[in-house]
Amino acid sequence: MEKSCSLLVHFDKGTPALANEIKEALEGNDVAAKIDAMKNAIMLLLNGETLPQLFITIVRYVLPSEDHTVQKLLLLYLEIIDKTDGKGRVLPEMILICQNLRNNLQHPNEYIRGVTLRFLCRLNEVEIIEPLIPSIISNLEHRNPYVRRNAILAVMSIFKLPQGEQLLVDAPETIERFLSTEQDASAKRNAFLMLFNCAQDRAVNYLLTNVDKVSDWGELLQMVVLELIRKVCRTNKAEKGKYIKIIISLLSAPSAAVVYECAGTLVSLSSAPTAIRAAANTYCQLLLSQSDHSVKLIVLDRLNELKSSHREIMVDLIMDVLRALSSPNLDIRKKTLDIVLELITPRNVNEVVLTLKKEVVKTQGAELEKNGEYRQLLIQAIHSCAIKFPEVASTVVHLLMDFLGDNNVASALDVVVFVREIIETNPKLRVSIVTRLLDTFYQIRAARVCSCALWIIGEYCLSLSEVESGIATIKQCLGDLPFFSVSEEEEGSDSSKKSQQATSITVSSRRPAILADGTYATQSAASETAFSPPVVVQGSLTTGNLRSLLLTGDFFLGAVVACTLAKLILRLEEVQSSKIEVNKASTSALLIMVSMLQLGQSSVLPHPIDNDSYDRIVLCIRLLSNTGDAVRKIWLKSCRESFVKMLSDKQLRETEEIKAKAQVSHSQPDDLIDFYHLKSRKGMSQLELEDEVQDDLKRATGEFVKDADDANKLNRIIQLTGFSDPVYAEAYVTVHHYDIVLDVTVINRTKETLQNLCLELATMGDLKLVERPQNYTLAPESVKQIKANIKVSSTETGVIFGNIVYESSNVLERTVVVLNDIHIDIMDYISPAVCSDTAFRTMWAEFEWENKVAINTTITNEREFLDHIIKSTNMKCLTALSALEGHCGFLAANLYAKSVFGEDALVNVSVEKQTDGKLNGYIRIRSKTQGIALSLGDKITLKQKGGS
């Protein structure tokens, strides 16, 4: 059996000390040996040993010791030994201990007195405590504050005992007198805490009597004052006006902890704009003044909560919140930007964007840790601002385009996606964006960024000069043709070619050169190298970016180049009157496409061109060879229309998410209407008047109405025993983030009194019981409410099981009633969340735990099956609705959710409808931890057949 102790000591169970060895060491005169022996005895007792033979030895040889360490260990020993017999009576030998404790309370050494008083705080036996009362009271007047503060705690602990009020009749009066004369801050705090817990009216009276002095009290006492105010105002809301004045006076306290607690108390007690503004200002000051990263993150969480309930007030403080970006920590910066982006209005958007631009420029200058990731966050934030408020796009788009060639591919990709969206939503910026993109295209080094940039060039180069510039830029970045050539010497020596299996190729490249007059020119260069088929040809930094990427075997990019050239040639036919120029450009484009096909089918590269890219390039060649009006419309108009539809779908989803987040409150028809203007305002401060108005508004809008109605509560009641059992029990399960509360109702259905009734619970999974079970006595046909708290440490399906044990007068043995198991559902811990497609793919690649579930369902419609999985798993579908429309027999969708512990759950649903009408495919789950992947997989397996 485990036993409680105020000190946790490591114990190696493999080498327990023998009781005889401990006894010999205790009887000796060596103090160090006595200390070790006492530690061994305590460890054995904590691990279930009884050691009754040591008690007399300790009384004889350890009690008289003057060593402080020995005395401290003695008190720990006395704390954990059994001091009562089986019937609850104090053992006779405890009288010896009582005399020793009295001597310690009168000891000349302050430390001995203090630790003994501390020990008495953990003593529950009234028979031992009663003779010590005079000595405890006398220590309240000791000269040393260490003794006085522990004496107060001892008085408080004794007064809380069932018979404490009889033992210390005038304790509250004594402590109140002590409080008025005490000078030590810690002792005053303990005295006020005693009144707070044992005589709340006296504590309130003392507080209101000394209102003007509260700001001068110590930090510890001020914290207890705030706790008292919270407790008083919860029970008597009418009096909170006088206490809010005290809280506001403490907002200027020098202690950061007091100021933080003040702000939290203010928010919990009042919804008046003045109070909320004061709390928000306090949080912003803490955000800037505190250097600890954890403190900053906690303060940002509080600001985020304020943002949800008091957005109008937080909007005015947006620039103060933005100053937190000066922290080098990426988590702080990310959380700050998340808060700021939801507070942007047309009035402050220019200031916010200007600050973000300055931060972007800073990331260029210094090479700090995670600079690229921070720049990516800033680019995404600016993107969000520009989409919400198109008028600011012109001020940021050209600055961000400087990062198209960023070494951080994710950052550069965010920029090009932003540019693609802005060029469509802001037609006035089209010309300047296209011109800037053509000028900076050669700087791009990432294939995915090049692909997106080429699509922009193909879609938005509309005038003759833009089209010609676009074609020239692509040709320049591809370099001279062909991409490779076999040398004449090697063509003539077949035997050497067969023996060495090598090919000499000439890789042509173009690089800029500076002439004598300072102008730029393009210089062609060719280099011959012996090439072995398995070796990859690498483009150097001096070659064009498209050429370098093609020579690494990226033929998807080659297909994008071909499509872009095809679009530009088709548009050139519309804007160019000279057929000769059009034919010349078309011939040049065809030559480039054929050269890419030759490169892909040659032995120069280790991997040949893939079929999809080959077909795409061939399609472009056929398109330029024979163009019809229907095909021209598809290439020049339908692509843009699809993109516009995608943007509108995205905007629609974002609007729906904002509406879903908005709190919808309704008041009941028979709710009380409280007319603020008809109330008496006599003696009320401005803050109290504001508070009244806010409360009236909340009642009018139904904000005080709880979402969870009685029907939902009934769904959470679980029957634990049968109706025929002598004891009936049922539990109401409440899951709140990291805690599970079981409110168990136990009914005695017999005509007898049940004694020592105990609810014994155990858990399986990452669940842990917080409290030990207590024994109760149940009268015939009576009801008892028992609460059990359970801590949750991870997102995993857990099981709570146990039994009810009791004794009755006519049965000698204890009766056991086994309870039904309570299964804690993973759905209680995860909630739908949103992330970008890029973030989803990044997490999908990083997460190591995958659970693959085969689809086995009676549902025959793909969309209906997806909706059923979304409802069953409580996840958010990230795939756009437009992508799920139609009936092609195939469906693929990504789902995402986040747990209360910050864990990400990713799900990919891939469904195919077979010829017999049944659905086939897989559901893949990925997460960083094993628990959520397995639990979610079990849930899907259980629910996918279409059951409830």
Side-chain angles (χ1 to χ4, degrees):
M1 289 290 294
E2 291 183 1
K3 296 186 179 181
S4 61
C5 178
S6 59
L7 181 69
L8 296 177
V9 186
H10 170 71
F11 175 60
D12 187 356
K13 293 184 177 180
T15 58
L18 296 174
N20 292 335
E21 295 175 6
I22 296 173
K23 190 175 180 181
E24 289 176 10
L26 292 175
E27 291 174 352
N29 295 323
D30 187 356
V31 176
K34 276 189 179 183
I35 291 171
D36 290 338
M38 285 298 295
K39 287 181 178 179
N40 285 328
I42 291 169
M43 287 189 286
L44 286 169
L45 285 166
L46 285 174
N47 284 274
E49 302 292 336
T50 53
L51 305 177
Q53 66 273 32
L54 284 183
F55 182 77
I56 298 301
T57 304
I58 288 173
V59 169
R60 289 181 60 190
Y61 297 101
V62 179
L63 279 184
S65 175
E66 293 293 329
D67 185 80
H68 291 179
T69 307
V70 173
Q71 285 296 322
K72 177 72 174 175
L73 291 170
L74 171 65
L75 293 173
L76 288 172
Y77 170 80
L78 293 176
E79 183 183 338
I80 59 177
I81 62 170
D82 291 324
K83 292 175 274 295
T84 57
D85 57 16
K87 296 182 179 180
R89 292 175 296 191
V90 176
L91 296 170
E93 53 266 33
M94 288 299 123
I95 301 301
L96 301 170
I97 302 302
C98 189
Q99 182 60 41
N100 178 70
L101 293 175
R102 185 188 289 111
N103 294 338
N104 280 356
L105 291 174
Q106 297 169 358
H107 199 281
N109 185 276
E110 294 87 354
Y111 176 76
I112 297 297
R113 287 196 185 208
V115 292
T116 306
L117 288 164
R118 197 80 181 187
F119 162 72
L120 292 175
C121 295
R122 297 183 288 273
L123 209 58
N124 298 321
E125 288 72 25
V126 175
E127 292 85 348
I128 300 175
I129 292 172
E130 189 172 4
L132 306 175
I133 295 296
S135 301
I136 295 170
I137 296 297
S138 65
N139 277 302
L140 288 172
E141 300 174 0
H142 195 274
R143 66 182 185 279
N144 193 292
Y146 173 71
V147 177
R148 295 199 301 273
R149 73 177 72 124
N150 283 302
I152 295 166
L153 293 177
V155 169
M156 180 172 69
S157 301
I158 295 168
F159 194 80
K160 283 182 175 180
L161 293 175
Q163 301 176 20
E165 294 187 20
Q166 286 78 28
L167 293 174
L168 293 166
V169 179
D170 58 347
E173 293 89 340
T174 305
I175 297 300
E176 191 172 13
R177 289 196 302 270
F178 172 89
L179 190 57
S180 60
T181 58
E182 180 58 48
Q183 300 300 318
D184 181 67
S186 184
K188 285 186 75 171
R189 176 259 182 195
N190 289 355
F192 192 80
L193 186 64
M194 188 272 173
L195 292 179
F196 167 46
N197 286 305
C198 305
Q200 185 173 304
D201 293 341
R202 292 181 181 273
V204 170
N205 182 53
Y206 179 79
L207 175 61
L208 296 178
T209 307
N210 298 275
V211 168
D212 299 334
K213 302 176 184 176
V214 172
S215 55
D216 299 327
W217 288 351
E219 173 187 352
L220 296 173
L221 185 53
Q222 288 174 344
M223 296 289 276
V224 182
V225 165
L226 290 170
E227 193 177 344
L228 172 68
I229 290 173
R230 281 196 295 269
K231 185 176 180 181
V232 171
C233 291
R234 273 197 295 267
T235 54
N236 190 1
K237 293 183 179 179
E239 295 186 0
K240 65 182 178 182
K242 66 177 87 169
Y243 295 108
I244 287 177
K245 295 172 186 175
I246 300 173
I247 298 170
I248 291 177
S249 70
L250 288 176
L251 284 175
S252 57
S255 168
V258 172
V259 170
Y260 174 79
E261 286 296 327
C262 276
T265 306
L266 206 54
V267 172
S268 65
L269 296 183
S270 173
S271 55
T274 306
I276 300 301
R277 193 172 289 107
N281 277 319
T282 302
Y283 284 138
C284 289
Q285 290 169 11
L286 288 172
L287 191 61
L288 299 174
S289 62
Q290 299 301 306
S291 57
D292 188 276
H293 291 167
S294 299
V295 173
K296 285 180 181 285
L297 288 170
I298 292 169
V299 172
L300 284 169
D301 284 337
R302 299 291 83 77
L303 287 170
N304 194 33
E305 291 169 4
L306 281 183
K307 176 208 69 182
S308 304
S309 52
H310 303 280
R311 185 178 182 275
E312 300 79 11
I313 295 170
M314 286 298 299
V315 164
D316 297 333
L317 300 171
I318 189 169
M319 297 310 295
D320 292 328
V321 177
L322 261 179
R323 290 166 67 186
L325 292 177
S326 59
S327 171
N329 184 276
L330 193 64
D331 292 331
I332 293 172
R333 287 169 161 173
K334 185 177 186 304
K335 194 165 279 191
T336 302
L337 289 173
D338 290 341
I339 293 171
V340 166
L341 288 178
E342 294 189 32
L343 297 175
I344 294 177
T345 62
R347 193 157 45 92
N348 60 29
V349 65
N350 289 321
E351 277 186 286
V352 172
V353 170
L354 183 63
T355 304
L356 296 178
K357 281 171 64 178
K358 289 178 181 177
E359 290 295 318
V360 170
V361 173
K362 286 180 188 175
T363 62
Q364 284 179 292
E367 287 299 325
L368 301 174
E369 186 183 0
K370 295 187 176 180
N371 223 2
E373 294 178 44
Y374 179 43
R375 189 185 304 128
Q376 186 181 352
L377 288 176
L378 291 170
I379 290 168
Q380 290 170 353
I382 293 172
H383 183 177
S384 177
C385 294
I387 298 304
K388 289 180 183 176
F389 303 97
E391 63 271 11
V392 302
S394 59
T395 63
V396 294
V397 66
H398 298 299
L399 170 68
L400 293 185
M401 288 181 75
D402 290 336
F403 297 99
L404 285 172
D406 196 350
N407 293 327
N408 184 347
V409 178
S411 176
L413 194 60
D414 283 336
V415 171
V416 78
V417 170
F418 167 65
V419 171
R420 185 182 66 181
E421 196 163 342
I422 291 301
I423 201 171
E424 173 60 38
T425 55
N426 290 264
K428 294 179 182 178
L429 299 176
R430 186 193 64 79
V431 176
S432 61
I433 289 176
V434 167
T435 306
R436 185 66 181 273
L437 181 60
L438 292 174
D439 290 341
T440 57
F441 185 80
Y442 72 93
Q443 299 174 355
I444 302 173
R445 295 293 167 189
R448 290 172 66 189
V449 181
C450 275
S451 300
C452 192
L454 285 168
W455 186 89
I456 295 171
I457 292 171
E459 286 293 335
Y460 295 98
C461 287
L462 303 180
S463 65
L464 177 60
S465 59
E466 290 170 350
V467 172
E468 290 177 342
S469 298
I471 295 172
T473 300
I474 294 172
K475 288 172 68 176
Q476 184 178 357
C477 291
L478 286 171
D480 293 336
L481 301 178
F483 293 107
F484 72 97
S485 60
V486 181
S487 63
E488 294 178 4
E489 293 85 354
E490 195 159 308
E491 283 179 348
S493 54
D494 291 335
S495 60
S496 174
K497 181 178 179 180
K498 289 177 182 177
S499 61
Q500 294 181 7
Q501 291 294 317
T503 307
S504 176
I505 67 165
T506 302
V507 181
S508 303
S509 64
R510 302 179 71 186
R511 55 190 175 208
I514 301 175
L515 302 179
D517 60 353
T519 59
Y520 288 86
T522 302
Q523 177 180 342
S524 298
S527 58
E528 286 193 3
T529 53
F531 177 75
S532 184
V535 181
V536 178
V537 178
Q538 297 288 349
S540 67
L541 293 174
T542 56
T543 61
N545 53 345
L546 292 179
R547 188 185 192 88
S548 302
L549 293 167
L550 277 175
L551 292 177
T552 61
D554 191 345
F555 287 102
F556 175 79
L557 179 63
V560 175
V561 170
C563 291
T564 304
L565 286 172
K567 286 181 183 178
L568 291 174
I569 297 301
L570 292 177
R571 192 159 282 118
L572 186 65
E573 291 176 3
E574 294 181 348
V575 296
Q576 174 63 270
S577 57
S578 173
K579 294 292 183 184
I580 298 174
E581 293 295 328
V582 173
N583 291 337
K584 185 179 177 182
S586 179
T587 305
S588 177
L590 287 169
L591 184 59
I592 291 171
M593 296 177 195
V594 171
S595 299
M596 286 191 292
L597 290 177
Q598 285 181 336
L599 177 65
Q601 292 178 331
S602 70
S603 58
V604 171
L605 299 176
H607 302 290
I609 186 172
D610 58 282
N611 292 333
D612 289 339
S613 300
Y614 178 85
D615 292 343
R616 192 74 170 163
I617 296 173
V618 169
L619 176 65
C620 294
I621 294 173
R622 288 176 178 169
L623 176 66
L624 294 182
S625 302
N626 185 14
T627 307
D629 291 337
V631 177
R632 183 188 296 275
K633 182 181 178 182
I634 291 171
W635 280 73
L636 296 183
K637 291 184 179 180
S638 298
C639 291
R640 176 90 67 85
E641 290 170 359
S642 298
F643 177 60
V644 171
K645 190 174 187 305
M646 186 191 84
L647 289 182
S648 62
D649 287 346
K650 179 184 174 185
Q651 191 171 4
L652 182 64
R653 273 190 296 164
E654 289 175 352
T655 307
E656 288 175 354
E657 286 166 12
I658 292 170
K659 286 181 181 178
K661 286 182 182 178
Q663 297 179 352
V664 180
S665 301
H666 301 285
S667 59
Q668 297 300 319
D670 57 347
D671 279 355
L672 178 69
I673 299 176
D674 204 352
F675 290 96
Y676 157 71
H677 293 286
L678 301 180
K679 282 186 178 180
S680 172
R681 306 184 191 182
K682 188 176 180 181
M684 295 179 72
S685 66
Q686 182 62 31
L687 189 63
E688 290 174 273
L689 291 172
E690 288 181 13
D691 218 11
E692 288 288 340
V693 175
Q694 293 300 316
D695 286 349
D696 289 347
L697 285 173
K698 286 182 178 180
R699 288 190 186 94
T701 57
E703 196 169 320
F704 287 149
V705 179
K706 299 294 182 185
D707 293 334
D709 56 8
D710 294 336
N712 290 334
K713 288 183 178 180
L714 289 173
N715 292 334
R716 289 188 170 273
I717 293 178
I718 299 170
Q719 184 180 340
L720 299 180
T721 63
F723 291 115
S724 60
D725 286 320
V727 175
Y728 175 77
E730 62 183 20
Y732 173 61
V733 183
T734 305
V735 178
H736 182 71
H737 295 309
Y738 300 93
D739 300 305
I740 298 173
V741 179
L742 298 182
D743 196 348
V744 184
T745 303
V746 180
I747 304 173
N748 179 5
R749 304 181 67 230
T750 67
K751 301 291 184 181
E752 300 172 357
T753 299
L754 304 183
Q755 298 176 344
N756 294 328
L757 184 140
C758 181
L759 175 66
E760 297 179 346
L761 295 175
T763 59
M764 190 168 63
D766 284 339
L767 306 175
K768 184 180 179 183
L769 280 167
V770 177
E771 299 166 344
R772 294 171 178 276
Q774 295 182 3
N775 290 340
Y776 302 95
T777 300
L778 234 63
E781 299 182 351
S782 63
V783 180
K784 183 71 180 175
Q785 298 285 342
I786 303 174
K787 284 197 175 183
N789 293 315
I790 295 167
K791 285 286 181 186
V792 187
S793 55
S794 73
T795 309
E796 188 175 338
T797 301
V799 180
I800 304 170
F801 55 94
N803 48 54
I804 292 176
V805 183
Y806 62 89
E807 297 173 355
S808 56
S809 56
N810 58 354
V811 180
L812 298 177
E813 296 181 356
R814 304 194 77 184
T815 307
V816 179
V817 179
V818 179
L819 306 178
N820 288 336
D821 294 346
I822 301 173
H823 293 268
I824 304 301
D825 196 350
I826 186 177
M827 295 301 105
D828 292 322
Y829 305 124
I830 67 172
S831 56
V834 180
C835 72
S836 64
D837 291 339
T838 307
F840 186 92
R841 285 193 292 269
T842 303
M843 288 188 287
W844 188 268
E846 290 176 355
F847 291 173
E848 55 185 6
W849 290 103
E850 178 175 306
N851 190 3
K852 192 174 182 180
V853 180
I855 292 174
N856 180 17
T857 181
T858 55
I859 300 172
T860 56
N861 183 276
E862 310 98 297
R863 182 64 186 276
E864 185 183 337
F865 176 72
L866 176 64
D867 293 339
H868 176 67
I869 293 296
I870 292 170
K871 183 180 178 182
S872 302
T873 57
N874 196 26
M875 302 186 83
K876 175 75 175 177
C877 181
L878 300 182
T879 306
L881 294 176
S882 57
L884 301 174
E885 291 173 354
H887 301 279
C888 63
F890 296 91
L891 185 145
N894 293 332
L895 313 182
Y896 179 63
K898 217 171 177 60
S899 77
V900 295
F901 307 100
E903 301 166 317
D904 300 289
L906 313 178
V907 172
N908 173 260
V909 182
S910 299
V911 189
E912 176 188 359
K913 192 165 187 175
Q914 297 178 310
T915 52
D916 58 359
K918 292 183 179 180
L919 299 183
N920 189 24
Y922 290 96
I923 301 171
R924 292 198 294 165
I925 307 147
R926 286 199 183 182
S927 67
K928 192 175 284 186
T929 56
Q930 183 184 19
I932 195 169
L934 294 177
S935 300
L936 206 51
D938 294 341
K939 185 74 176 178
I940 290 173
T941 303
L942 182 68
K943 294 279 187 177
Q944 68 168 319
K945 288 184 179 291
S948 59

